[in-house]
């Protein structure tokens, strides 16, 4: 009988606890269903999407005044502070969030990411790097952290570190061309400080990643000239001409001068002829051949070369002007007159332009770091 009673009361107790659990679960669900997302929060997000940063800030501030547990609203307020250049306030907001207890691990990682962005924006690169090293240990955020580290090293001109991170990030050939840029920039720093041998080693490494990267050939040759090693300089000028003929116009004058001093000037014409096989009608090569022909007294040869330029590039006023002069010297006044009619005093000289691969801004010289958007990349001739 006692055993029966004990069993009976245990069953009653278990039924009671089960009912209590159901009631608690129902009340909790009911409470969750009754909790609405703040209208101010929704309006704040809409304002951010529409680009109304002031309106977003006002609505998000009202949101956190109503609900201090809305972590996302605080995060976004910090981001708005950063955009306004108020970096210290952004850092303060995001740091205070990390002091809260029971935050989800993904939320914590998001706050750390915001802090890293705050420090990058404030140009406190060492502090940003310290945080990014921590974030990179989390597999889910490793890629993002590495990309941000690369941004930090680019903005702080730490080219060797940028190169090492770039090796981890970049996979395809086009992306790996950027590794050549980092090595070039590292070599350029060594060149400026007079460490010519180290500069050459670094610049030659850049050519392993992009064997068509003209600036590296040029600076290697310049480093040899700085040490009065003209034969080695001439070799790299020649390599540039044969490997990247479209960019070699930048060194024509120095190459001719160097090879003249070495007693190798007759070889220059042969180099230009080989280049012309790769780049028919290239105006820079043809103009240089015309100059050599003139120096040799071969006026007809100079005229032939310049005629090719003018036929292919009618807007090349420099070539047209010189050709008109040669016509006059050669007694071909009628041809000179017709050509001169097409030349105007204010006509601009033909220039080479290079475009940033990111913002597409153009410059008349090769830039390693874009003066407009600040990004690093191999610049292409347009």
């Amino acid at each position: 009988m006692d055993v029966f009673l004990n069993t009976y009361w245990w069953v009653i107790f278990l039924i009671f606890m089960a009912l209590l659990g159901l009631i608690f679960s129902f009340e909790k669900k009911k409470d969750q269903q009754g909790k609405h997302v703040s209208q101010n929060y929704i309006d704040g997000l809409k304002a951010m999407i529409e680009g109304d940063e002031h309106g977003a800030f006002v609505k998000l501030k009202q949101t956190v005044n109503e609900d201090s547990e809305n972590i996302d609203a605080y995060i976004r307020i910090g981001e708005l502070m950063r955009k306004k250049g108020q970096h210290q306030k952004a850092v303060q907001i995001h740091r205070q969030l990390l002091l809260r207890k029971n935050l989800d691990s993904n939320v914590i990682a998001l706050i750390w990411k915001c802090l890293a962005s705050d420090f990058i924006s404030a140009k406190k690169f060492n502090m940003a790097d310290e945080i990014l090293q921590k974030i990179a240990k989390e597999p889910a955020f490793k890629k993002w952290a590495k990309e941000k580290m690369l941004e930090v090293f680019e903005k702080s001109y730490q080219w060797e570190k940028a190169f090492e991170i770039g090796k981890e990030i970049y996979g395809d050939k086009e992306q790996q061309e950027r590794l050549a840029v980092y090595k070039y920039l590292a070599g350029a720093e060594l060149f400026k400080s007079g460490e010519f041998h180290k500069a050459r080693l670094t610049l030659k490494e850049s050519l392993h990643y992009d064997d068509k990267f003209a600036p590296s050939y040029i600076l290697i040759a310049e480093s040899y000239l700085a040490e009065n090693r003209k034969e080695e300089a001439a070799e790299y000028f020649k390599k540039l001409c044969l490997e990247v003929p479209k960019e070699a116009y930048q060194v024509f004058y120095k190459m001719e001068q160097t090879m003249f001093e070495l007693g190798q000037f007759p070889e220059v014409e042969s180099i230009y002829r080989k280049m012309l096989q790769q780049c028919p009608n290239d105006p820079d090569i043809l103009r240089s051949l015309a100059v050599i022909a003139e120096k040799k007294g071969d006026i007809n040869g100079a005229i032939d070369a310049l005629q090719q330029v003018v036929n292919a590039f009618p807007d090349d006023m420099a070539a047209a002007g010189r050709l008109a002069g040669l016509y006059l010297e050669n007694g071909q006044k009628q041809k000179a007159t017709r050509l001169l009619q097409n030349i105007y005093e204010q006509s601009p000289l033909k220039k080479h332009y290079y475009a940033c691969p990111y913002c597409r801004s153009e410059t008349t010289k090769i830039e390693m770091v874009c003066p407009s958007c600040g990004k690093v990349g191999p610049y292409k001739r347009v």
Side-chain angles (χ1 to χ4, degrees), residues 148-165:
K148 281 293 178 181
M149 282 182 200
L150 186 60
E151 183 183 342
V152 165
F153 296 142
E154 285 183 356
K155 288 184 174 179
S156 57
Y157 311 119
Q158 299 182 67
W159 305 121
E160 286 292 356
K161 287 185 176 181
F163 171 79
E164 292 301 328
I165 292 292

Side-chain angles (χ1 to χ4, degrees), residues 163-182:
F163 171 79
E164 292 301 328
I165 292 292
K167 278 202 300 185
E168 295 181 41
I169 295 174
Y170 298 138
D172 61 52
K173 187 179 185 300
E174 187 174 342
Q175 286 180 316
Q176 287 203 342
E177 287 181 356
R178 289 190 72 183
L179 298 179
V181 180
Y182 296 138

Side-chain angles (χ1 to χ4, degrees), residues 76-90:
R76 292 178 188 277
I77 289 171
E79 289 175 344
L80 289 169
M81 290 288 99
R82 184 200 312 140
K83 285 183 179 180
K84 289 167 70 175
Q86 298 181 26
H87 305 113
Q88 193 57 44
K89 286 186 178 179

